[in-house]
Amino acid sequence: MNIHEYQAKEILRRFGVPIPPGEVATTPAEAEAIATKLGGPVMVKAQVHAGGRGKAGGVKFCKDAATAREKATAILGMQIKGLTVEKVLVTTAADIGTEAYVGIIVDRRTKKAVFMVSAAGGIDIEEVAATTPEKIHYHPVDPRYGLQPFEAQQMGFFLYQDPKQARAAAKIMQQLYAAFLATGCSLAEINPLVVTPTGDVIAVDAKMVIDDNELDRLPAVAALRDESSEEPSEVAARKANLTFIKLDGNVGCVVNGAGLAMATMDLVKYYGGEPANFLDIGGSSNPEKVVNALKIITADPSVKAILFNIFGGITRTDDVANGIVTATKANPLKVPIVIRLTGTNEEIAVKILTENGFSASSDMDEAVQKAVALAKGGKAA
Amino acid sequence: MSVFVTKNTKLLVQGITGRDGSFHAKQMMEYGTQVVAGVTPGKGGQTFENTVPIFNTVAEAVKATGANTSVIYVPPPFAADAMMEAADAGVQLIVCITEGVPVLDMTRVRPYVMEKGARLVGPNCPGLISPADKAKVGIIPGRICTPGPVGVVSRSGTLTYEVVYQLTRAGIGQTTCVGIGGDPINGTNFIDALEAFEKDPATKAVAMMGEIGGTDEQEAADYIKHHMKKPVVGFIAGQTAPPGRRMGHAGAIISGSAGTAAEKIDAFKAAGMGVAQRPKDFVQLIQERLK
């Protein structure tokens, strides 16, 4: 789950990270009022779940409160990478001396949380990583002991020669690591970490991505979710415990398991069709999930044929069959459906389907070819 | 012969009284697996299906029954603790089926299990099955497997079933199928399974199924190139998947590459592996290599 910059900053502030004051606004008037309260020049920053906000014109320097109102008017409602800006952060503009980068990510290769720090921070950090990798220092943290003060200090001195600044950065890294753990992050980054002309080390931008698997046990973090900034169809799918990604084709796919779902999409393409979506109904099944999956798929007018590909393991194919029957009784289908299922409780599933007028195949290639042909308006091969 | 799960597997089921645990414990018993114990805290002293004793703790279960393998069906918030409990009790092979285990939990569980000298498979995996030994640990449907010379290793659950099913229908059996799971931090990886198959005299060829994301498949291809004599056929799911949404700068900095299907398939080709374009293609590619 993504959270906004202003939310990440509120979390980091609680852990002691020095961050310029700021508040979030949803109207130009609010933005002006916050700027007046803060006094002096401010930054108005679009709060959307997309990178490259600055390059898209969603981050502006404002010399006074009147300018803040004007810039907020322009930014609110703006589209950045297909997302509408609903909120802006109005924050005191920091004087920037140098910009560094500090990030932590759960790394699948080392199987640890890994710190990445670089004195060459700012918006071009990925370019720095690609062209001058020696400018980035990597430090995996041993999860049994956590980040030790000396480790943080080593990284602090990698960033700054001035001992006071190195120690200040080390302290921020300890605070960032504590916040990373407590918030259930898979990623946390401060970019840029700024040294002001007076020598203070402060965090000017922050990003956190939360591991979805943490949300059940961290309700306060789960409450930070901003549904207005997500795809509506994906919000509906998540509420139904399904993983759904909308694509451009016309074969609606309902599959169990991410690997098989991707392989099914690949096969649709292999046989000359285009998948309309990625939809994984997941492991442990119940008929309700299938009902919801069909609702989401049939809501898409570009879907010309529906393809079920279910290989039962922990998913019981009879649950899926019952779901199909329940859903289609309530809302009769307007497009053809091709059902392939095999595995756990297959005999019961096939019996349920045939008794209700459906046919089921046990061959994946056959079912995919049939669905592709039907989506093209042809007869089933 | 087979790898990891054999005739000598004495299995205990953590979460045996839950919906999934009880269903699959029964399936494993029907397949022929020696299910010697169940663990559900608070239900110690009861029996499962009138035959399998239930214990409150894994330590008690191991002491009383000599269980050497554990399979975990407990809900995600308790899975990390269950894996550590099994490792602490001296269980040698721990298979965690549970999906949705927080990744930060796994950063602690993995070194803990390794220090105790246990092997972990999963989490978020379908487990293992060795058809010739009639031994199944996990949720892979037994009826789709048959004994034979092919080792199977996969990051995906249901995609594994698909390939095994196609192999079996074509009369090609398996030594052991290993589902390693798709989570970012897990126990056994491709290379561990490949190493075991290379050593197993009964395995004559290996089928390997990967997915987009990460670099595990590329590292496995490198291992195959330098350390394996047996033929390996690979498949990558997600050739048509749209690029995922970006995870801040850190994701791009650390991976250095996107882990695309094309990149992985190139690595397979460079290692001299057969590349299946469809799950079905495994049949012919494996047949050619078994001759």
Side-chain angles (χ1 to χ4, degrees), chain A residues 110-121:
Chain A
T110 55
K111 320 283 186 195
K112 293 183 172 81
V114 175
F115 263 91
M116 286 173 287
V117 301
S118 176

Side-chain angles (χ1 to χ4, degrees), chain A residues 231 233-234 237 242-269 273-282 289-290 292-310 335-336 371 375, chain B residues 238 240-242 245:
Chain A
E231 267 288 316
S233 57
E234 289 171 19
L242 306 163
T243 314
F244 174 82
I245 298 169
K246 165 107 188 68
L247 301 170
D248 296 329
N250 58 14
V251 180
C253 304
V254 183
V255 189
N256 65 322
L260 188 62
M262 287 193 285
T264 304
M265 287 159 52
D266 293 349
L267 206 58
V268 166
K269 197 122 178 175
E274 288 291 338
N277 63 277
F278 168 96
L279 196 157
D280 173 11
I281 63 167
K289 269 195 183 180
V290 178
N292 287 320
L294 270 171
K295 259 187 212 156
I296 291 163
I297 297 263
T298 50
D300 178 356
S302 54
V303 169
K304 299 294 177 231
I306 297 167
L307 169 66
F308 268 75
N309 186 16
I310 306 296
V335 294
Chain B
T240 57
R245 251 153 266 159

Side-chain angles (χ1 to χ4, degrees), chain B:
Chain B
M1 278 286 280
S2 42
V3 304
F4 303 146
V5 168
T6 68
K7 281 191 179 69
N8 302 321
T9 295
K10 292 172 85 178
L11 184 66
L12 87 83
V13 180
Q14 288 174 262
I16 198 166
T17 52
R19 185 190 193 254
D20 292 331
S22 58
F23 180 81
H24 288 283
K26 239 173 114 178
Q27 299 247 319
M28 288 186 286
M29 289 161 75
E30 280 164 16
Y31 191 71
T33 317
Q34 293 184 62
V35 177
V36 298
V39 170
T40 298
K43 295 196 175 167
Q46 301 179 13
T47 55
F48 176 74
E49 293 286 301
N50 295 318
T51 51
V52 180
I54 300 176
F55 300 86
N56 286 322
T57 68
V58 176
E60 282 175 275
V62 168
K63 200 174 164 202
T65 65
N68 55 18
T69 301
S70 173
V71 62
I72 295 171
Y73 295 97
V74 308
F78 314 109
D81 196 48
M83 288 181 256
M84 289 161 91
E85 185 186 0
D88 184 61
V91 174
Q92 288 149 22
L93 174 66
I94 302 161
V95 181
C96 184
I97 307 302
T98 309
E99 179 180 356
V101 180
V103 69
L104 286 172
D105 285 2
M106 288 311 300
T107 62
R108 291 182 294 109
V109 170
R110 196 183 138 90
Y112 185 90
V113 169
M114 285 169 82
E115 270 175 12
K116 299 280 178 185
R119 167 177 297 286
L120 174 67
V121 177
N124 188 17
C125 80
L128 310 91
I129 189 165
S130 297
D133 289 346
K134 297 244 167 282
K136 150 171 160 167
V137 175
I139 60 174
I140 299 176
R143 47 173 286 180
I144 62 170
C145 304
T146 194
V150 179
V152 177
V153 58
S154 171
R155 232 168 100 177
S156 152
T158 48
L159 178 58
T160 318
Y161 311 162
E162 184 63 50
V163 172
V164 170
Y165 175 72
Q166 305 239 14
L167 289 174
T168 295
R169 280 210 302 186
I172 306 169
Q174 306 88 36
T175 47
T176 301
C177 306
V178 186
I180 58 174
D183 279 6
I185 298 185
N186 57 11
T188 297
N189 64 17
F190 280 122
I191 295 176
D192 299 325
L194 290 168
E195 197 179 3
F197 284 133
E198 180 72 6
K199 281 188 196 144
D200 172 40
T203 302
K204 305 297 180 203
V206 179
M208 168 179 162
M209 286 127 257
E211 289 175 9
I212 49 170
T215 55
D216 289 2
E217 289 82 359
Q218 295 90 314
E219 282 154 28
D222 194 58
Y223 177 84
I224 289 164
K225 191 174 174 179
H226 294 105
H227 303 285
M228 280 188 80
K229 293 199 174 66
K230 293 177 184 175
V232 183
V233 177
F235 174 82
I236 298 294
Q239 300 175 46
T240 57
R245 251 153 266 159
R246 307 256 343 248
M247 260 189 66
H249 295 294
I253 295 172
I254 202 148
S255 64
S257 71
T260 61
E263 203 177 302
K264 290 173 190 245
I265 289 168
D266 285 347
F268 283 180
K269 286 181 180 158
M273 295 165 59
V275 178
Q277 271 203 294
R278 300 172 288 177
K280 196 182 187 171
D281 296 336
F282 272 104
V283 171
Q284 199 196 335
L285 291 167
I286 293 278
Q287 257 162 357
E288 286 167 9
R289 283 160 179 77
L290 287 175
K291 274 177 192 155

